[in-house]
Amino acid sequence: MANLGIPRNTIEILQKYKFNFQKKYGQNFLIDTSVLERIVAAAEITKEDCILEIGPGIGTMTQYLAEAAGQVIAVEIDKALIPILGETLAAYTNVTVINADVLKLDLKQLAEEKNGGRPIKVVANLPYYVTTPIIMSLFESGVPLESITIMVQKEVAERMQVGPGTKDYGALSLAVQFYAKPEIVANVPPNCFIPRPTVGSAVIRLTRHPKPPVEVRDAEYMFALIRASFNQRRKTLSNGLSNAPELGLSREKVAQALETMGLSATVRGETLTLEQFAKLSNLLR
Ligand code: SAM
């Protein structure tokens, strides 16, 4: 099958199947061989690897993944793409295409079935409308993971990577950094896609920590604290936490915990490190 990273080949297959792009599914297909090569290189794929690709589209990156990996599981929501994938991936016996919404699949069970429960790697050019839910469900579903190498909106990649005190720092930064080490590996301009997205993109690799970098007794509670702290960005941490009914915290209890940690009563959530959130969570739980 012709390399779909070459624009002419992508256009030919889209015309052959009279494919209509679905905006609601975040469909922007890659048409740049050097970007595809960089994504696959950043994922450090070997023939031992089982790769989960979310949203294969017409199979452009899937072809590269199938060449490099032992096996590829590609989950695509749009059923109009399934016959196209049948043609573009016909040469590969190591690819399984599943027509499903990745957020509704039991990925843990899938990894168990396909890879005997050994860690998988996720590689994807993600649909931007569901980037955060997909990343969070990958980390929280308990699926054994080695790394996630993904194309996302440039601002979102930056949010995942930054630390306290910057405007992009928030719940996503803390969640990603709790589970993994983030590294932006490439910036990708809109002209590398068809159709062109209205935003810049970046490839980021999240390498799963063997164990979390902080000690926290109840991670779920810590994330509830983090969400409450960033829900009311302009408020002090103390107001943010005591105004969150789901936490059931009194103003006094929060004040006491902040004092124990040597933090000012007027400190803002966006200045706290992951370690400080972990400590606070252990004190308040
Ligand atoms: N991988 C292809 C490429 O790089 O050219 C396509 C990437 S495109 C940005 C995102 C793909 O994800 C589309 O094919 C879209 O139909 C699919 N998709 C969107 N939402 C999905 C979901 N919830 N589950 C699985 N696939 C989804």
Side-chain angles (χ1 to χ4, degrees):
M1 178 66 208
N3 180 340
L4 296 165
I6 297 163
R8 160 170 46 82
N9 296 336
T10 282
I11 290 164
E12 196 176 305
I13 198 98
L14 293 174
Q15 284 176 345
K16 177 172 171 190
Y17 284 84
K18 298 189 173 57
F19 179 74
N20 289 318
F21 285 99
Q22 299 283 333
K23 218 171 170 188
K24 66 172 180 197
Y25 290 146
Q27 292 176 338
N28 301 96
F29 298 163
L30 265 169
I31 40 162
D32 187 301
T33 52
S34 68
V35 172
L36 286 153
E37 282 159 16
R38 271 168 93 178
I39 297 173
V40 174
E44 295 176 352
I45 300 168
T46 72
K47 282 285 167 196
E48 306 296 303
D49 286 326
C50 173
I51 308 291
L52 169 66
E53 186 190 7
I54 298 162
I58 56 169
T60 313
M61 191 155 71
T62 326
Q63 295 179 333
Y64 283 75
L65 297 171
E67 296 280 347
Q71 63 161 325
V72 182
I73 308 162
V75 180
E76 174 55 60
I77 197 169
D78 185 354
K79 71 174 184 315
L81 288 165
I82 305 304
I84 304 185
L85 290 165
E87 175 173 339
T88 59
L89 303 174
Y92 301 102
T93 53
N94 60 344
V95 179
T96 310
V97 174
I98 300 175
N99 182 202
D101 177 346
V102 73
L103 291 170
K104 294 194 180 137
L105 270 188
D106 184 343
L107 294 175
K108 199 172 167 195
Q109 194 196 327
L110 193 64
E112 187 63 53
E113 257 169 45
K114 298 282 182 190
N115 204 35
R118 286 184 305 279
I120 58 166
K121 289 180 177 168
V122 174
V123 186
N125 170 15
L126 284 185
Y128 294 170
Y129 76 107
V130 276
T131 302
T132 304
I134 289 178
I135 295 173
M136 293 319 297
S137 89
L138 284 171
F139 284 132
E140 286 168 358
S141 64
V143 53
L145 273 180
E146 203 172 318
S147 62
I148 303 178
T149 307
I150 41 176
M151 176 90 71
V152 296
Q153 192 177 328
K154 188 164 179 277
E155 281 73 25
V156 177
E158 281 158 7
R159 252 189 271 154
M160 289 189 228
Q161 223 192 8
V162 292
T166 50
K167 77 166 174 28
D168 291 332
Y169 185 60
L172 182 65
S173 332
L174 284 154
V176 164
Q177 293 164 30
F178 177 71
Y179 291 108
K181 182 172 79 144
E183 286 163 280
I184 292 180
V185 289
N187 283 317
V188 182
N191 63 6
C192 296
F193 302 86
I194 175 172
R196 292 181 185 194
T198 49
V199 292
S201 303
V203 179
I204 188 164
R205 188 180 60 209
L206 311 175
T207 312
R208 174 112 202 183
H209 296 306
K211 77 182 214 351
V214 294
E215 292 218 359
V216 59
R217 278 198 296 278
D218 183 345
E220 225 170 274
Y221 184 76
M222 177 179 75
F223 285 120
L225 279 186
I226 290 172
R227 275 193 299 273
S229 314
F230 286 96
N231 257 347
Q232 302 186 306
R233 245 181 195 277
R234 265 155 297 154
K235 294 214 166 131
T236 61
L237 181 63
S238 161
N239 276 339
L241 297 184
S242 42
N243 288 343
E246 69 279 14
L247 296 172
L249 290 170
S250 69
R251 199 164 285 280
E252 294 69 39
K253 193 166 178 192
V254 176
Q256 208 175 34
L258 292 180
E259 199 185 325
T260 310
M261 288 180 62
L263 291 170
S264 139
T266 58
V267 72
R268 285 172 198 282
E270 68 236 41
T271 65
L272 262 63
T273 62
L274 175 61
E275 204 176 346
Q276 286 172 313
F277 272 113
K279 243 188 197 161
L280 187 64
S281 151
N282 289 342
L283 281 171
L284 290 173
R285 185 78 180 122

